[in-house]
Amino acid sequence: MPRVFSGIQPTGDIHLGNLLGALRNWVSDQHEADSFYCIVDLHALTVPKEPGEVGQRTLELAQVLLAVGLDPEVCTLFVQSHVTEHSELAWLLQCVTSMGELRRMTQFKDKSEGKDFVSAGLFTYPALQAADILLYDTDRVPVGEDQIQHIELTRDVAERFNHRYGETFRLPAASVPTAGARVMDLQDPTRKMSKSSESPAGTILVTEDLGSVAKKIKRAVTDSEPEVRYDPAAKPGVSNLLSILGAVTGRDPEEVAGDYEQYGPLKSDTAEAVVELLRPIQERIAELQKDPERTAALLEVGAEKAREVASGVLERAKRNIGLLPRAHG
Ligand code: TYM
């Protein structure tokens, strides 16, 4: 069975882009691969957080992931900081990653631009991400389009390590969905959908009131041309709606475009499809919130399963580097 690994940050704003670009593939992959899914709480610390905030968000995110359809009997769902091997391998990988490589990362450029305080962790973030992936001998990483650059860096770092210290890491490949890989902001369809704090009217949250979800989709920016056509460069707003509807209904956006002559019906159908996608997820979240200890216990089981794999791979890396082993270790 191929090995799959992916991660998501507990930022508290899980949106339609996360769901269509990544999480839906996680759910389908869990039945086809030996899948490890990680809530990357250490990555969330790269930008300032209040005490307690990340822990609370981690639990909430775990509930969302279970509600979306991850089955802890089938996949391994765990929290990054519960498996300390991640931090340790990240250090080893930082030492084979160049400043130049890190400087080229667009996520770093986007997140650091115009900020007074930029942490060193934000800069070395991709080395921790590489550690996440490489610790599980991963074949495939289901992600949205914005993460492809980080997966390519992971491959480069793994190759460099293997070249320097001998065959240690398996080289992973990104897997990106055909529709929904880049869900755009509903108000500014030239930028990707991201945290709601940056664009409340342009972002749909998985936990949002369903009336508000429908309203936002109906108010999505389109253009003044009457024709419904999938053309992301010339018609980004309409194309985004077609991609969303395509992703939710499992169809090609071009094919979806053929069903519509006007924007109004396209918007109503997209709104309805998204509302019906989110409704059962929200019902399951409400159920899970009644028993937070159960979610915490599931994460503990996940951490144990993850550590079994991660500890072996970390040991292999240390042995191949040739660090002095402990006398009784
Ligand atoms: P994060 O937490 O920002 O996003 C989680 C997943 O959602 C996808 N995504 C999108 N897909 C389509 N349209 C969008 N507008 C959109 N916004 C986000 C992301 O591509 C991602 O798949 N660095 C990662 C977390 C991470 C990770 C890993 C991922 C840490 N370690 C190891 C894979 C493997 C991140 O910040 O994702």
Side-chain angles (χ1 to χ4, degrees):
M1 245 198 189
R3 178 67 61 73
V4 158
F5 180 96
S6 200
I8 182 167
Q9 295 196 57
T11 55
D13 276 327
I14 301 308
H15 53 72
L16 193 62
N18 299 129
L19 184 60
L20 299 181
L23 302 184
R24 282 176 18 122
N25 272 359
W26 295 17
V27 174
S28 51
D29 273 341
Q30 70 182 338
H31 301 293
E32 286 158 23
D34 184 16
S35 303
F36 287 73
Y37 299 125
C38 183
I39 300 178
V40 293
D41 54 349
L42 300 175
H43 277 113
L45 299 177
T46 54
V47 294
K49 292 286 181 310
E50 294 302 321
E53 186 185 342
V54 173
Q56 178 57 30
R57 299 295 197 187
T58 297
L59 184 68
E60 288 166 8
L61 177 53
Q63 290 164 341
V64 171
L65 296 177
L66 293 170
V68 161
L70 291 187
D71 179 351
E73 300 268 318
V74 178
C75 67
T76 301
L77 175 63
F78 69 104
V79 177
Q80 190 183 35
S81 66
H82 293 180
V83 181
T84 53
E85 282 78 358
H86 289 247
S87 306
E88 198 171 343
L89 183 62
W91 177 258
L92 302 181
L93 295 180
Q94 278 181 55
C95 298
V96 289
T97 307
S98 77
M99 301 274 284
E101 282 172 319
L102 294 172
R103 237 180 253 124
R104 281 195 291 278
M105 295 294 113
T106 49
Q107 183 167 308
F108 174 71
K109 288 189 219 164
D110 291 348
K111 289 197 173 179
S112 59
E113 209 174 68
K115 295 280 184 329
D116 293 335
F117 178 84
V118 177
S119 72
L122 188 64
F123 187 60
T124 59
Y125 180 118
L128 179 57
Q129 180 160 351
D132 298 340
I133 298 167
L134 299 177
L135 269 177
Y136 297 90
D137 284 335
T138 302
D139 297 297
R140 201 148 48 80
V141 190
V143 283
E145 209 176 270
D146 62 348
Q147 293 301 315
I148 292 177
Q149 200 186 26
H150 285 164
I151 315 301
E152 282 168 357
L153 177 65
T154 300
R155 285 176 70 91
D156 291 345
V157 168
E159 270 187 307
R160 186 173 307 133
F161 190 104
N162 289 349
H163 183 71
R164 196 172 288 175
Y165 297 118
E167 205 53 34
T168 308
F169 297 122
R170 188 174 296 178
L171 301 190
S175 99
V176 172
T178 41
R182 194 170 172 81
V183 176
M184 309 307 279
D185 186 285
L186 296 174
Q187 288 301 315
D188 177 1
T190 60
R191 43 174 264 182
K192 69 173 182 183
M193 186 176 285
S194 60
K195 291 153 102 35
S196 64
S197 53
E198 288 159 22
S199 173
T203 306
I204 293 196
L205 299 185
V206 169
T207 50
E208 185 162 344
D209 169 77
L210 295 175
S212 155
V213 168
K215 219 180 272 166
K216 284 185 186 176
I217 293 177
K218 288 182 185 156
R219 288 185 187 153
V221 165
T222 46
D223 54 55
S224 53
E225 224 184 69
E227 192 195 2
V228 177
R229 176 161 51 89
Y230 184 72
D231 181 348
K235 296 168 76 71
V238 175
S239 303
N240 191 33
L241 292 174
L242 291 167
S243 294
I244 292 173
L245 185 53
V248 177
T249 55
R251 296 171 69 203
D252 217 44
E254 275 109 355
E255 188 196 320
V256 176
D259 294 351
Y260 296 94
E261 281 169 5
Q262 288 170 327
Y263 294 164
L266 170 64
K267 284 183 168 178
S268 332
D269 286 359
T270 307
E272 193 185 320
V274 173
V275 163
E276 291 317 317
L277 174 72
L278 297 183
R279 192 189 305 281
I281 296 175
Q282 294 190 357
E283 285 167 3
R284 285 195 290 271
I285 293 174
E287 273 305 305
L288 288 157
Q289 281 171 341
K290 292 181 191 156
D291 188 1
E293 285 78 21
R294 188 174 139 67
T295 300
L298 291 173
L299 292 174
E300 179 51 29
V301 173
E304 281 305 318
K305 284 204 282 178
R307 192 172 302 121
E308 273 172 34
V309 180
S311 59
V313 177
L314 177 65
E315 274 317 306
R316 193 200 300 155
K318 288 161 80 172
R319 192 173 57 241
N320 290 357
I321 293 174
L323 296 173
L324 182 68
R326 290 172 63 181
H328 306 291

